[in-house]
Amino acid sequence: MKTCLKCGAEMADDAVFCKKCGFADITHCTKCGKKRMPGSQFCRGCGKRFYDPEDQAASAPISGPSPVSEPVLAPEPVSPTVAAIEPVWAQEDSPTAPVANKAETGLEPIAPSFGTDTGPMPVPASEGEAPSEYHSFENEGTFTPPAVDASLPTDLSDLTGKKKSPLVPIIVIASLLFIVFAGVAVFFLATASSRRYKQAKKELDAGNYEKAVAEFEKVGKYEDAEDLLAEARALLHYENGKKAFDQEDFDKALEEFKAAGTINDAEYMAKQSEFAGHYKKGMSLSGSGDYDAAIEEFYKASDYKDAPTQIKACYYKMGQEELSKNNPDGAEKYFNLAEGYQDASSKISEINYVRGENAYKAGDNLSAAKYFYKAGKYQDAEDRANELYYNLAIEAFNKGENEKAAEYFSLIGDYKDSKNYAQSVYYNSGMACLNAKDYENAGKYLYLAGDYQKADQVLTNAIRDLAKANDLINARKLCSFDPAGDKYVDGLTAFYKTDYLTAADHFKASGDFLNSVTLYKSSYYNYGLGIFKTKNYEEAEKYFKLGEDYSYASKLAHVCEGEIKYSQGYISQAATEYSKVSIDKTLKSICKARGFDVSGRKAFVNARLTLERAKGSWNPKANDIEVKFTDKSGYSQRIYSEYIWDGQYLDLSFTYNEKTMRFDITIKLAFGRYSDYSPYDYSQYHEIKSYTKTYKNQKKLPEIIQIDGKTVVLRYVKGVFTVTYTKNVSGSSGVKQFKSVVSYEKATQ
């Protein structure tokens, strides 16, 4: 496909006319093959008329002395001399005039015109050169030059017959040539910029940035060419930067990426190029053994690739060099800087092990112990260090140098019996200082003694006694081994003044110093006890919960929650809270001192829950009623009924007294039984027996209730009432045994 030089529309490669604007897109005559001169309307070889749709706009003839059409000048693109001008005269009605007719072009012939915009024209090629991008046509026939009309003048004399100067026609022709060449020049300048602009944009879009730059530079200030030129240059620099970066020419890459400005990620790539350049130099310097300079470059490379690792690699190599020079101090320094790289740590241990061995051979056991200790687990360094420190500690202990002995023991932890030795040393030293009222050292040593001989308890008791006696200065001295000691003493002071909330704040601030955590909980627990006495159970519960697991704080929190639920009428939930409280003598005593009977209260809540569940109406669920008669001869007969008789019921109600925590319970009962025996008509001998009983000052609903002595007994087990009636009657004819068992279930509400 090619583009119309006039309107820019696409057209087939072999098309002559543009379908959109009708422009004749040819550079050579389709008849004789002669090259078309820019702006010409006729072929200067055969006279054939070129079609140009712009001619329709010029219908009037060119002004001149002759009433007929003026000749059409078709100048060659050469120097404008008279000798080079070869005008072609053509009249429209001449049989030989090379004017395109309707049969040839499909269009009506139109008059030629000068000075009009005929659309983009191709740059003329040299004479005889075939067109490179336009369709060529073979000659359509032999051209016969047109005959010259005898009526036309052969020179440039005017019509009066007066002969003009020879310069006149030359000036006229030169003027005409100047106008033609000026128009052609303007035309070509305009169309050349348009073509180059489009071509440059194609190159830019295709990523051919170098060609795009070259084309946009030729375009100049046409439309947005300057902006696109800047973009093309930036992209070209970016592309060159990438090529240089891939070729590891990082200096050039940096230069190109900087020149690319902010296009794409040019700024980031510029920084990467800078880092990569330093990294490359660092690798080169490291390879040549200039480690100091290499390290400097690797630092400048930031975290590019493995630059941090390469820094440690350089230090490692420097350490190896120092080892080869038998300079353990210098080697240790560099291996420390190379920590984490390969076996740098092992190298340090090796150095210290050698130092320890040399010191041991020289009889310097303390230095040997230090070096073996620093060697860590290298070979047998740890065991040798422990053994040396242990012997040094025993030696110091025997000399009474307790502090030094304790220091050595502390370094070897549980080696042999060193821990006990160390704690005993601290304990003895602490007790000696305490007796001497050297409180600062006493506190420090007793603290280091830990739980040996309950040293920690001895220390806390000593501080407590001093605080209780308001000897705060010495109490603080005993705590001077830890900055938290001051807050601890402040907490004790407030605690013994029963300012429990302030005490809790101070103990919290002292962290885990000695028994601060326990005293923190104790403060809230004691504050809660004071509120519990006022029966403000909601407030008391809050502080018992803060007391957590201290003493009876947790149990009392459940008691408080039980009382809260009970007061709200949630008897079941109250009983659940009390079920979490196991009661012992201490808890009873604590509660009693604050006017609260915890055992009685728990029983009362549970009893009320049972009665709440039992109260109301109950209907018969099952009958098991019989009478059995046995005469003296041993013969027996039995009347039995499982049918649930009408008229049976059970009602239970109760009242209670909060102060005495006792209940009054009323039971109304009706059940069926046989009253006599007759083998012939037993149905008339059954009846419904009723009772109403009230039981005063009950602690709870008994499981067994005697309604009528031992004859009628009522049981309440697992939510079911059962009444049992039993009676034996002896007579002259034999023995009658009466038995009724009736169970009741709760009536649906």
Side-chain angles (χ1 to χ4, degrees), residues 51 209 235 251 262 315 354 419 454 576 580 676 698:
Y51 170 74
Y209 305 125
L235 288 168
D251 289 338
T262 60
Y315 282 129
V354 172
K419 183 177 180 179
K454 296 184 178 180
T576 299
K580 300 174 184 177
D676 203 347
Q698 297 295 307

Side-chain angles (χ1 to χ4, degrees), residues 338-409:
E339 182 182 5
Y341 181 79
Q342 293 185 5
D343 61 342
S345 298
S346 180
K347 290 289 185 183
I348 295 171
S349 297
E350 180 184 349
I351 291 169
N352 284 308
Y353 187 86
V354 172
R355 287 170 169 169
E357 188 66 47
N358 292 337
Y360 181 74
K361 289 178 181 178
D364 186 356
N365 290 340
L366 180 58
S367 295
K370 289 180 180 179
Y371 287 129
F372 284 132
Y373 185 81
K374 290 176 67 177
K377 297 185 179 297
Y378 182 80
Q379 294 186 8
D380 60 345
E382 187 175 23
D383 290 336
R384 295 183 72 175
N386 288 340
E387 185 64 26
L388 285 169
Y389 273 129
Y390 182 82
N391 292 332
L392 288 167
I394 295 295
E395 182 181 343
F397 181 76
N398 292 333
K399 291 180 179 179
E401 298 174 347
N402 292 332
E403 192 167 343
K404 186 179 291 186
E407 178 188 353
Y408 296 152
F409 280 130

